């Protein structure tokens, strides 16, 4: 995985001072992917009046720190991150290639997320998304600046920024999820199957995109207007 970690200038993990056990679990995860020595833990005080606000400001603080360090790319984790078994060196190299060599303008690049909309790109393991969740993502310098400029509006950071970004991309399939722990922000215990829906949705959206892209290619070969399916006028974008 080093090929990917080396592309990132600043790597941080947000954690609460009052939850040392969460930091300990995160350290085990980072050690498993050779990242522990690179991660700076951003220890925050809990916002007892509004957990969402505290989370939002914590992500802003991480972005602001990266800007202060003149980082080109900043990787931000939350302390419930859990890496998936299929996170391989190949996946890491493809993510690094996108970060360093893509011609796309991007603000945020997800390693794990809850996809709401998806579109294929020229790289089969990279997708353009509208997505939520903030447990594992990379910001470009433009993304850091945009996040820092926002004002809290009562929603979590993934609603304020992540989902609203029109320049968001993701590694497919995702390589990090959130552990089924208690959420201080949402004040709820996550069930053991917490990640099942997001993983299934990611797969379903991607397969729908592939099918629609194949239809578009067939239509072009038949000389029909690009991107049109005579039955349903579908495009390669998927937001089922």
């Amino acid at each position: 995985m080093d090929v990917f970690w080396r592309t990132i200038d600043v790597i941080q993990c947000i954690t609460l001072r009052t939850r040392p056990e969460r930091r300990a679990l995160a350290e085990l995860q980072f050690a498993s992917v050779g990242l522990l020595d690179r991660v700076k833990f951003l220890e925050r005080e809990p916002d007892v009046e509004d957990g969402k606000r505290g989370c939002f400001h914590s992500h802003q603080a991480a972005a602001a720190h990266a800007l202060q360090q003149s980082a080109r790319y900043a990787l931000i984790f939350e302390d419930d991150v859990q890496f998936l078994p299929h996170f391989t060196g190949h996946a890491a190299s493809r993510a690094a290639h996108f970060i360093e060599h893509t011609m796309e303008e991007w603000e945020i690049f997800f390693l794990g997320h809850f996809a709401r909309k998806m579109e294929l790109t020229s790289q089969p393991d990279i997708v353009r998304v509208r997505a939520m969740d903030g447990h594992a993502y990379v910001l470009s310098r433009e993304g850091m600046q945009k996040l820092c400029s926002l004002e809290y509006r009562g929603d979590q950071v993934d609603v304020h920024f992540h989902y609203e970004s029109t320049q968001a991309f993701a590694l497919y399939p995702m390589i990090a999820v959130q552990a089924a722990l208690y959420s201080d922000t949402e004040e709820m215990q996550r069930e053991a199957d917490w990640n099942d829906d997001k993983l299934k949705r990611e797969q379903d959206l991607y397969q729908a995109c592939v099918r629609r892209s194949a239809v578009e290619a067939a239509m072009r070969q038949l000389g029909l207007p690009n991107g049109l399916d005579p039955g349903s006028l579908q495009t390669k974008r998927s937001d089922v």
Side-chain angles (χ1 to χ4, degrees):
M1 289 78 169
D2 286 349
V3 65
F4 180 52
W5 307 141
R6 289 196 300 268
T7 67
I8 309 299
D9 303 300
V10 174
I11 303 175
Q12 300 172 85
C13 179
I14 297 167
T15 190
L16 291 177
R17 180 190 59 79
T18 54
R19 300 300 297 275
E21 76 284 1
R22 294 278 289 263
R23 174 170 176 161
L25 290 173
E27 288 175 344
L28 291 175
Q29 288 294 314
F30 296 138
S32 73
V33 295
L35 191 55
L36 183 57
D37 292 342
R38 285 286 314 277
V39 176
K40 173 183 173 61
F41 279 88
L42 183 61
E43 194 171 89
R44 305 283 290 179
E45 294 294 329
D47 186 330
V48 296
E49 295 181 352
D50 188 344
K52 293 178 182 179
R53 180 178 61 192
C55 180
F56 179 79
H57 288 156
S58 294
H59 283 264
Q60 281 191 318
H65 173 76
L67 285 172
Q68 291 167 2
Q69 298 299 308
S70 299
R72 296 174 305 155
Y73 310 121
L75 175 53
I76 299 173
F77 293 107
E78 293 178 339
D79 62 6
D80 59 355
V81 64
Q82 182 176 349
F83 295 102
L84 295 172
H86 61 254
F87 184 22
T88 63
H90 175 74
S93 67
R94 298 307 292 162
H97 183 272
F98 175 84
I99 294 294
E100 292 196 301
H101 301 297
T102 184
M103 299 301 292
E104 300 274 8
E105 293 184 2
W106 65 278
E107 295 174 343
I108 183 169
F109 179 70
F110 290 99
L111 303 183
H113 59 115
F114 187 15
R116 308 301 299 173
K117 299 182 180 181
M118 185 180 291
E119 185 177 352
L120 299 181
T121 71
S122 59
Q123 187 174 323
D125 43 13
I126 303 294
V127 289
R128 181 187 290 270
V129 294
R130 290 293 185 96
M132 302 177 71
D133 287 350
H135 57 282
Y137 64 96
V138 182
L139 291 177
S140 68
R141 193 159 181 84
E142 293 75 14
M144 299 175 222
Q145 292 168 340
K146 183 173 180 180
L147 177 54
C148 288
S149 71
L150 296 179
E151 294 184 5
Y152 179 62
R153 300 196 306 263
D155 291 315
Q156 297 191 67
V157 65
D158 51 2
V159 177
H160 276 286
F161 173 54
H162 298 171
Y163 181 70
E164 292 183 357
S165 176
T166 59
Q167 296 177 326
F169 293 81
L171 181 65
Y172 178 85
M174 72 177 79
I175 53 86
V177 293
Q178 291 175 293
L181 303 173
Y182 181 83
S183 170
D184 293 277
T185 302
E186 299 175 354
E187 298 182 341
M188 58 170 283
Q189 174 63 46
R190 294 170 178 154
E191 300 295 334
D193 60 353
W194 168 254
N195 293 297
D196 290 356
D197 286 346
K198 69 179 66 175
L199 292 170
K200 184 178 187 305
R201 183 174 179 84
E202 179 198 44
Q203 183 180 56
D204 289 347
L205 287 174
Y206 189 83
Q207 290 176 348
C209 286
V210 170
R211 288 194 298 269
R212 290 166 186 171
S213 182
V215 168
E216 288 183 351
M219 294 302 102
R220 288 194 296 271
Q221 289 182 347
L222 292 173
L224 296 175
N226 184 39
L228 293 184
D229 177 346
S232 58
L233 298 180
Q234 297 190 67
T235 72
K236 66 179 178 180
R237 188 183 305 271
S238 179
D239 57 358
V240 295

